[in-house]
Amino acid sequence: MDQASMEALYRTYGSMVLRRARTLLGDEHAAQDMVQEVFMKAIRAFPSFRGESSLTTWLYQVTTNHCLNAIRDGARRRRALERRMPAHEPVAESVEDRVGVDELLQQLPRELAEVAIYYYVDQMNQDEIATLLGISERTVRNRLRDFRDKARGRLVDPEEAAG
């Protein structure tokens, strides 16, 4: 891919990749860094792009996968830091709900987290998810069910816990 093609790719799809990364990561700086990583991967992998899906779909998947990896890596680093810190020193964590969601996503198998993000965050229907991932609608339904089961086991409603 020549310089002009790379620039055209970025101009055409850069804002879409940034929106996707911002949505999943919840942090502007991390999202901007992710855009660079996604395009570096896309440029390296472009010769093997077979065109079985649109370039938009492919970049969307690459961005989602990279963001999931970043969420998982961040959780691993937090756990490693917590293990190294003395017990009396708390690790500062965000009070936002995103922390709980990020922790849940990093603990799940990629295929469950990916389907959950497409369904709950992107509000795609099951048919769209099946087409995007190249799996059956039944598999999408099963993965969503597995995600809900696992989420129920990890998340506790504060009102239920208090009552």
Side-chain angles (χ1 to χ4, degrees):
M1 177 177 278
D2 64 18
Q3 183 71 23
S5 298
M6 288 188 272
E7 289 173 5
L9 183 71
Y10 183 80
R11 277 193 309 275
T12 304
Y13 298 103
S15 60
M16 177 202 71
V17 170
L18 178 60
R19 277 191 310 274
R20 180 68 176 154
R22 189 184 300 128
T23 298
L24 295 176
L25 299 174
D27 178 90
E28 183 66 27
H29 295 293
Q32 290 174 1
D33 289 344
M34 186 59 63
V35 169
Q36 292 179 14
E37 291 179 35
V38 166
F39 278 98
M40 287 185 335
K41 167 143 175 101
I43 290 166
R44 281 191 310 270
F46 195 75
S48 63
F49 177 65
R50 296 184 304 251
E52 294 173 356
S53 63
S54 72
L55 196 52
T56 302
T57 301
W58 181 66
L59 284 170
Y60 204 75
Q61 282 186 287
V62 169
T63 305
T64 298
N65 289 334
H66 273 11
C67 288
L68 286 173
N69 287 340
I71 290 167
R72 286 188 177 104
D73 290 346
R76 281 188 207 109
R77 281 192 293 274
R78 270 195 313 275
R79 285 194 306 271
L81 179 61
E82 288 170 357
R83 283 193 299 271
R84 287 188 205 121
M85 293 181 74
H88 64 279
E89 292 184 38
V91 175
E93 294 208 13
S94 170
V95 294
E96 297 176 14
D97 291 339
R98 179 170 281 293
V99 171
V101 172
D102 288 349
E103 288 176 359
L104 175 62
L105 289 174
Q106 65 87 22
Q107 294 172 8
L108 293 174
R110 174 184 302 269
E111 62 271 5
L112 295 186
E114 188 175 42
V115 168
I117 286 171
Y118 288 139
Y119 189 76
Y120 292 106
V121 175
D122 299 328
Q123 298 181 343
M124 294 172 73
N125 66 40
Q126 293 177 11
D127 179 52
E128 292 169 328
I129 297 168
T131 301
L132 177 68
L133 297 177
I135 58 177
S136 70
E137 285 185 60
R138 181 182 179 129
T139 300
V140 171
R141 281 192 303 276
N142 288 340
R143 289 180 184 175
L144 285 170
R145 185 197 65 234
D146 291 348
F147 170 79
R148 284 189 294 270
D149 291 346
K150 290 182 185 314
R152 278 189 206 108
R154 295 185 196 281
L155 302 176
V156 177
D157 184 353
E159 292 180 16
E160 288 179 18

